[in-house]
């Protein structure tokens, strides 16, 4: 086998393949690294604010703010989150050369979060609408923030183990 006029032995070829595999594993570990700290804090605050904001939007009557104000808050939160997500992803890509990817994270961690968080937020909002008890929204905010911190710490541990 020749490469650029250089003959490789079978051992050299195997070593090159092993190096390639180490680079692939290292890139996967880097892309599994948790968000920058500032974005983790922003994400946790967003998750904590979402149930309360959605509860205000879904309330039968004006609750604390008029419904159009809740809609403005909701749209602002979503737009700010989207913009900050893009900034965090770009900063990470510029720093490491690897895009942030959720597909390299363990499914046993990401699937419950991807399913449970929307159910928590929507369930609390519907419960608030039915009962008019803000405790549902406060509980969902606290549970969501706790889940965000827990998942962040789990991903930090995962990264340290694979790096």
């Amino acid at each position: 086998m020749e490469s650029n006029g250089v003959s490789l032995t079978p051992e050299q070829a195997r070593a090159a393949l092993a190096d390639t595999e180490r680079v692939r594993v290292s890139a996967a570990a880097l892309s599994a690294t948790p968000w920058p700290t500032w974005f983790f804090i922003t994400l946790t605050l967003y998750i904590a604010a979402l149930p309360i904001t959605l509860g205000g939007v879904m309330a039968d009557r004006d609750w604390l703010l008029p419904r159009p104000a809740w809609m403005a808050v909701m749209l602002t939160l979503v737009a700010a989150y989207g913009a900050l997500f893009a900034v965090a992803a770009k900063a990470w890509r510029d720093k490491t050369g690897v895009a942030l990817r959720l597909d390299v994270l363990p499914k046993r961690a990401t699937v419950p979060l991807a399913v449970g968080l929307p159910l928590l937020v929507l369930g609390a909002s519907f419960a608030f609408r039915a009962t008019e008890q803000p405790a549902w929204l406060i509980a969902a905010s606290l549970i969501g923030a706790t889940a965000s911190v827990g998942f962040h710490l789990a991903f930090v541990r995962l990264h340290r183990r694979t790096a």
Side-chain angles (χ1 to χ4, degrees):
M1 172 184 217
E2 290 199 22
S3 175
N4 295 332
V6 177
S7 179
L8 294 177
T9 66
E11 292 80 25
Q12 290 171 324
R14 280 189 212 92
L17 286 174
D19 287 343
T20 302
E21 180 61 18
R22 276 194 295 274
V23 168
R24 189 193 66 71
V25 168
S26 176
L30 280 175
S31 63
T33 301
W35 300 107
T37 303
W38 66 266
F39 187 72
F40 153 66
I41 292 167
T42 301
L43 179 60
T44 301
L45 292 173
Y46 174 76
I47 290 170
L50 198 56
I52 294 169
T53 306
L54 188 58
V57 169
M58 291 180 59
D60 280 333
R61 54 186 172 80
D62 287 349
W63 175 69
L64 299 179
L65 297 172
R67 185 171 287 159
W70 282 116
M71 285 299 295
V73 170
M74 177 67 86
L75 293 174
T76 302
L77 276 174
V78 171
Y81 172 76
L84 290 173
F85 180 90
V87 169
K90 183 178 180 336
W92 181 253
R93 191 171 44 255
D94 292 346
K95 178 180 174 184
T96 65
V98 178
L100 282 169
R101 296 176 29 213
L102 293 177
D103 64 326
V104 297
L105 298 171
K107 300 292 185 254
R108 70 182 186 280
T110 54
V111 170
L113 182 65
V115 172
L117 200 56
L119 288 175
L120 176 71
V121 171
L122 289 172
S125 299
F126 281 115
F128 170 68
R129 182 180 174 124
T131 66
E132 294 186 3
Q133 297 294 316
W136 291 103
L137 304 176
I138 294 166
S141 292
L142 293 174
I143 292 168
T146 301
S148 176
V149 170
F151 276 91
H152 178 74
L153 294 175
F155 293 152
V156 166
R157 197 171 76 221
L158 171 71
H159 176 69
R160 285 186 183 144
R161 198 172 5 153
T162 59

